[in-house]
Amino acid sequence: SQQGEEDPQALSIQEGENATMNCSYKTSINNLQWYRQNSGRGLVHLILIRSNEREKHSGRLRVTLDTSKKSSSLLITASRAADTASYFCATASAGGTSYGKLTFGQGTILTVHP
Amino acid sequence: DAGVIQSPRHEVTEMGQEVTLRCKPISGHNSLFWYRQTMMRGLELLIYFNNNVPIDDSGMPEDRFSAKMPNASFSTLKIQPSEPRDSAVYFCASSFKSGYTFGSGTRLTVV
């Protein structure tokens, strides 16, 4: 079963608006990562937040992590049509020897209308 | 760096045939992962290697699936015999300590 569950499943907004996607997970994590996938392409790593971090920024991306609620959010500010893609959260479990194994959620399909 | 290279990009084969998917990870990355993506099941981890050693193959659906990593720069995923339900996009990804770099995938269609 998938560790991460994204919400919403689909999001449709106008260019210039902000887009917020949420991710919930079940077990303790070492870090949480967000990926983007354009149609017909592989996933692209966007940002990684460690379990001891609460917020991280990268350009127009802002990620928050609440380990007490086992949840994370990805905010894309001032969205562009080129941001249209599927966005996945992925978790790396804490402890053990997982060698960086990630478990992916089902993804949020974001459509940004020009 | 050319990134993670997968071949072929597309494969159409008849049921019962053997299919071999190939992956060249990024030089220096010591972990390699094979995922399968379908609309119904999303991204499923099939198997992953660390330093060329298979660590966890619990995601491999059946004995028809096998994977090898003979050296740090090459891995294969083989399906024999293939079935229509194996149709999916198969991704290879490599990493060193944290974020993955994915290949462009192989779209497999079994008819």
Side-chain angles (χ1 to χ4, degrees):
Chain A
S1 62
Q2 297 291 338
Q3 160 82 312
E5 297 291 336
E6 284 94 340
D7 166 53
Q9 291 188 342
L11 181 60
S12 182
I13 60 174
Q14 295 296 126
E15 207 165 31
E17 294 180 340
N18 295 341
T20 300
M21 288 159 272
N22 302 297
C23 169
S24 61
Y25 57 91
K26 298 174 183 174
T27 62
S28 296
I29 61 171
N30 178 282
N31 64 74
L32 184 145
Q33 304 177 31
W34 286 90
Y35 288 78
R36 182 187 74 226
Q37 184 180 32
N38 290 88
S39 180
R41 308 294 291 272
L43 282 75
V44 174
H45 180 258
L46 295 176
I47 195 166
L48 179 153
I49 186 165
R50 302 192 188 283
S51 60
N52 62 351
E53 297 175 310
R54 292 298 167 259
E55 187 170 314
K56 206 161 183 179
H57 297 255
S58 177
R60 294 184 295 113
L61 305 181
R62 173 177 168 255
V63 170
T64 62
L65 178 65
D66 187 336
T67 53
S68 66
K69 295 181 180 178
K70 291 186 168 57
S71 67
S72 173
S73 68
L74 171 68
L75 169 67
I76 304 174
T77 60
S79 64
R80 306 166 181 168
D83 294 329
T84 295
S86 294
Y87 291 82
F88 295 86
C89 71
T91 52
S93 296
T97 54
S98 62
Y99 298 103
K101 170 186 170 183
L102 292 178
T103 304
F104 286 82
Q106 296 289 342
T108 292
I109 300 172
L110 173 65
T111 304
V112 182
H113 300 280
Chain B
D1 198 325
V4 175
I5 300 173
Q6 290 187 247
S7 64
R9 287 297 309 274
H10 302 273
E11 177 81 34
V12 179
T13 190
E14 291 185 346
M15 183 174 63
Q17 296 297 307
E18 176 182 303
V19 175
T20 300
L21 312 181
R22 298 172 176 79
C23 175
K24 177 179 169 53
I26 289 178
S27 177
H29 282 192
N30 62 348
S31 292
L32 182 141
F33 306 82
W34 282 100
Y35 282 84
R36 177 172 68 177
Q37 187 178 37
T38 61
M39 288 293 292
M40 291 297 293
R41 296 186 299 271
L43 271 163
E44 302 172 279
L45 176 64
L46 300 177
I47 185 171
Y48 71 98
F49 297 82
N50 182 259
N51 292 327
N52 313 337
V53 176
I55 302 300
D56 184 353
D57 66 353
S58 60
M60 298 284 261
E62 298 170 33
D63 291 344
R64 298 184 296 107
F65 286 69
S66 62
K68 294 181 180 179
M69 192 165 185
N71 57 62
S73 59
F74 185 64
S75 177
T76 59
L77 178 67
K78 182 180 293 186
I79 308 172
Q80 179 184 24
S82 58
E83 296 182 3
R85 58 193 168 124
D86 301 331
S87 296
V89 181
Y90 290 81
F91 287 104
C92 173
S94 68
S95 75
F96 179 69
K97 292 188 177 179
S98 57
Y100 287 9
T101 301
F102 277 80
S104 297
T106 294
R107 181 173 295 277
L108 173 65
T109 304
V110 183
V111 297

